[in-house]
């Protein structure tokens, strides 16, 4: 369940980062603030199951990769093969962290068992 919270946090991060860039009205800013709160709630819930360093690394890197891809596809940001290569490296790193982190083992260690 910890990894599901990380996924939710990364998805929600995309919305609040876009909100920070494009919000113009008070209502949009309030929506952005609410989404930020949800993002951090998911991070906190994930940290209850996984090491906080792992959660933070995966949350920030996967969210950043998704935001850059959305910038390319939806907002017309400048695309280059070098950027695509580095996004790929981020994704490989996130997958590597996921593969090498055992959720049940980490939870037991955090509880002192």
């Amino acid at each position: 369940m910890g990894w599901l919270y990380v996924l939710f946090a990364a998805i929600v991060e995309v919305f609040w980062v876009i909100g920070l860039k494009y919000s113009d009205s008070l209502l949009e800013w309030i929506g952005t603030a609410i989404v930020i709160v949800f993002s951090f709630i998911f991070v906190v819930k994930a940290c209850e199951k996984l090491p906080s360093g792992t959660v933070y690394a995966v949350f920030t890197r996967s969210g950043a990769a998704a935001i850059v891809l959305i910038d390319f596809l939806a907002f017309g940001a400048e695309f280059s093969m070098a950027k695509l290569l580095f996004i790929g490296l981020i994704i490989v790193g996130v997958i590597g962290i996921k593969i090498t982190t055992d959720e049940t083992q980490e939870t037991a260690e955090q509880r002192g068992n």
Side-chain angles (χ1 to χ4, degrees):
M1 188 69 180
W3 287 111
L4 198 56
Y5 285 125
V6 175
L7 175 65
F8 291 157
I11 291 169
V12 172
E13 179 187 20
V14 170
F15 291 101
W16 67 257
V17 169
I18 291 170
L20 288 175
K21 184 172 183 177
Y22 294 105
S23 290
D24 291 325
S25 69
L26 179 62
L27 186 59
E28 290 170 341
W29 280 110
I30 291 171
T32 299
I34 291 169
V35 174
I36 289 171
V37 170
F38 274 108
S39 179
F40 286 104
I41 288 171
F42 290 137
V43 168
V44 169
K45 296 298 279 181
C47 287
E48 292 174 359
K49 306 282 185 188
L50 298 165
S52 57
T54 301
V55 170
Y56 183 72
V58 173
F59 159 69
T60 57
R61 277 33 170 218
S62 57
I67 290 163
V68 170
L69 289 173
I70 290 171
D71 258 355
F72 291 150
L73 299 172
F75 299 112
E78 183 181 330
F79 175 81
S80 72
M81 290 307 289
K83 289 178 183 179
L84 185 62
L85 170 71
F86 290 120
I87 291 169
L89 290 173
I90 290 171
I91 293 168
V92 167
V94 167
I95 292 168
I97 290 172
K98 166 70 172 107
I99 290 170
T100 59
T101 302
D102 179 19
E103 184 173 350
T104 55
Q105 175 187 358
E106 297 297 339
T107 302
E109 288 175 6
Q110 287 178 344
R111 292 184 182 152
N113 295 333

